[in-house]
Amino acid sequence: QVQLVESGGGLVQPGGSLRLSCAASGFSLYYSDIGWFRQAPGRERNGISCITSRNTNTEYARSVKGRFTISRDDAKNTVYLQMDSLNADDTAVYYCGTVRRCGRGLIVASANNDWGQGTQVTVSS
């Protein structure tokens, strides 16, 4: 079964850090461009970061640039999102998925993503 599974979310205080993981099963991430997306209650799901295959390019939404870092370990078939200096606006369910555009300011999800349950990130004191 081809799927991406997110993990690593939780409750963190403002200013804290979390590292999310996106593990692939049933296929190799090596040739895939992968993105992280988030959806806050009552809002649309938006792309916040992406990384191209072979780590040739990364992209960040303005809201997270300088605070979040995306990386990949193809040997572990996993993409990570290191999140630092978290604030309440980062509270959301975080998802990973394949992207069809990653670059020039664009983070565009593939149309055929089978979005999983995501991982909840709550920033609160």
Side-chain angles (χ1 to χ4, degrees), residues 28-116:
S28 171
L29 284 179
Y30 185 79
Y31 294 106
S32 298
D33 299 345
I34 301 296
W36 281 98
F37 302 80
R38 69 184 182 188
Q39 186 170 21
R43 304 187 70 176
E44 292 184 348
R45 178 159 44 212
N46 292 314
I48 55 171
S49 185
C50 59
I51 186 166
T52 54
S53 62
R54 284 158 284 188
N55 205 17
T56 52
N57 187 52
T58 58
E59 195 71 44
Y60 297 92
R62 192 173 301 175
S63 58
V64 306
K65 196 168 187 177
R67 300 187 299 121
F68 291 10
T69 304
I70 193 169
S71 62
R72 62 193 297 153
D73 186 338
D74 290 331
K76 295 183 178 179
N77 222 20
T78 301
V79 172
Y80 303 98
L81 186 68
Q82 176 67 40
M83 307 188 297
D84 299 316
S85 301
L86 287 161
N87 59 61
D89 291 338
D90 296 316
T91 295
V93 178
Y94 284 69
Y95 303 87
C96 62
T98 59
V99 297
R100 59 182 180 88
R101 292 290 301 272
C102 180
R104 297 178 181 261
L106 296 175
I107 304 166
V108 182
S110 301
N112 61 347
N113 272 313
D114 184 12
W115 300 106

